[in-house]
Amino acid sequence: MKKFSFVLMIGVLALWGDIPSCFAQKDDVAMVMNLSGQAIYKTGKKEKQPVEIADFFYQGDRIYLGRGAKIVLIYSAGGTREELVGHGIIKVGKTGSEIEDKTVRVKKADINYLPDKAIIKMGTKYAAMPLRGETETDHKIDSDKMKILSLCDTNIRSLNPKFRWQQVEGAKKYKLRISDEEDEQIFETITEGAGFVYGKSGLYHGKDYQWTVLALAGGKAIARAEGWFSILKEAQIRQLEKTESEINVKFPGKNPERLINLALVFQEYALFDATTTILKQLSVHFPENRNIKNWTNQITCE
């Protein structure tokens, strides 16, 4: 079975820009989790540009905070969350911020709700532009007419998953087939809509599955698409739900930290469809944010 086939394009741009040299040194990376007021890059390729939510800071970066500004950073390797408030310049150190102006106040707290070094992994594992792999097939039907929306090479939690695909012009019905990793059929049905919620037994935690959908017109298949998914083990789900609950309690409501943290956690569990959903919620609040757009574009199938 071809499970979560990613093509890592080494040498391409990093997630939000060029891959910085600090990755080779295994130094820490800070991620901007929240921001109010003015924050400006004082050094580097982004000099004089405004800081955005979900930016990455690297060792040696210097950031100017305007009067009354507040910025929240997480240093991944150090496992530290920083709230920085004030008017002045901060410098990104190896495991935390260095204050160059005493008018900037910093409040630090240890974090335990993100997977170990999640942000550093974000800048290395995904720096080489992860692409969801295309499945090989010798099927003769034109696949270009049809697109999977979900489940698309992703982990999930539910034993009753929801499948979605793009409608095909001229198609009256769709045939959905689910099979196990040995290509043994588990379920097959015909539906009129461009989606289906699986409500039967036969799927199990910790198992991998393939699904195929055919667009039908006049009793004949005119388009085909397929995807892969894996259901998390029950122990993984328990740990995930505990982490998710902790994040929701710490950062309630519309706090962008809640959504960014959840996106990082979901991505670490390879819940790519769920990560996409979270990023879409985040983009509603920050529609012009380049980082969120790039992040979404690189993991979504839609």
Side-chain angles (χ1 to χ4, degrees), residues 68-229:
K70 177 180 177 180
I71 190 168
V72 177
L73 304 177
I74 283 185
Y75 282 84
S76 182
T80 304
R81 178 181 181 271
E82 294 184 350
E83 290 185 12
L84 298 122
V85 181
H87 179 212
I89 295 175
I90 64 171
K91 181 179 179 180
V92 178
K94 193 169 185 178
T95 57
S97 298
E98 300 171 4
I99 309 303
E100 293 191 359
D101 193 316
K102 292 184 179 179
T103 61
V104 177
R105 304 184 307 277
V106 58
K107 179 181 177 182
K108 297 188 177 184
D110 293 337
I111 59 173
N112 58 5
Y113 46 83
L114 282 181
D116 186 40
K117 300 183 181 180
I119 293 169
I120 285 182
K121 293 176 184 177
M122 183 80 165
T124 53
K125 182 176 180 181
Y126 299 96
M129 194 177 291
L131 304 177
R132 295 188 190 237
E134 296 178 324
T135 53
E136 298 94 350
T137 176
D138 56 3
H139 206 284
K140 302 301 181 183
I141 298 173
D142 185 0
S143 298
D144 294 336
K145 295 180 180 179
M146 199 168 189
K147 185 178 181 181
I148 293 295
L149 301 179
S150 68
L151 306 166
C152 180
D153 296 355
T154 184
N155 280 350
I156 61 173
R157 289 187 256 189
S158 176
L159 294 177
N160 302 114
K162 181 178 181 178
F163 302 90
R164 295 189 302 120
W165 54 87
Q166 194 175 53
Q167 287 186 325
V168 176
E169 185 177 356
K172 302 299 182 183
K173 296 181 179 180
Y174 300 89
K175 179 184 286 188
L176 171 70
R177 179 181 186 267
I178 304 173
S179 56
D180 62 20
E181 56 187 327
E182 304 299 329
D183 202 30
E184 292 292 328
Q185 181 172 306
I186 295 172
F187 176 78
E188 185 175 272
T189 190
I190 293 179
T191 179
E192 294 183 356
F196 182 81
V197 179
Y198 184 82
K200 299 181 178 294
S201 60
L203 302 182
Y204 301 94
H205 292 288
K207 298 295 184 180
D208 308 320
Y209 299 96
Q210 176 188 8
W211 69 285
T212 304
V213 59
L214 298 177
L216 306 176
K220 296 182 180 180
I222 60 173
R224 178 182 190 273
E226 64 181 19
W228 305 89
F229 66 98

Side-chain angles (χ1 to χ4, degrees), residues 15-76:
L15 189 58
W16 319 138
D18 292 335
I19 300 175
S21 60
C22 69
F23 282 138
Q25 303 167 11
K26 297 183 180 179
D27 290 333
D28 207 346
V29 176
M31 189 173 187
V32 180
M33 307 297 283
N34 207 344
L35 174 65
S36 61
Q38 184 186 46
I40 303 291
Y41 285 93
K42 294 288 290 182
T43 56
K45 293 182 178 180
K46 294 185 176 182
E47 185 177 359
K48 298 183 180 180
Q49 294 183 26
V51 173
E52 291 187 295
I53 282 180
D55 269 355
F56 288 114
F57 291 163
Y58 306 104
Q59 187 175 359
D61 283 349
R62 296 172 72 245
I63 308 297
Y64 167 79
L65 298 181
R67 196 173 302 279
K70 177 180 177 180
I71 190 168
V72 177
L73 304 177
I74 283 185
Y75 282 84
S76 182

Side-chain angles (χ1 to χ4, degrees), residues 197-258:
V197 179
Y198 184 82
K200 299 181 178 294
S201 60
L203 302 182
Y204 301 94
H205 292 288
K207 298 295 184 180
D208 308 320
Y209 299 96
Q210 176 188 8
W211 69 285
T212 304
V213 59
L214 298 177
L216 306 176
K220 296 182 180 180
I222 60 173
R224 178 182 190 273
E226 64 181 19
W228 305 89
F229 66 98
S230 181
I231 305 176
L232 291 180
K233 296 178 180 178
E234 292 180 270
Q236 291 177 302
I237 294 174
R238 287 194 294 270
Q239 181 58 50
L240 174 60
E241 289 177 344
K242 179 181 177 182
T243 302
E244 187 176 8
S245 176
E246 184 174 356
I247 290 171
N248 286 331
V249 169
K250 284 181 178 291
F251 310 106
K254 297 181 180 180
N255 191 325
E257 274 194 82
R258 181 179 72 86

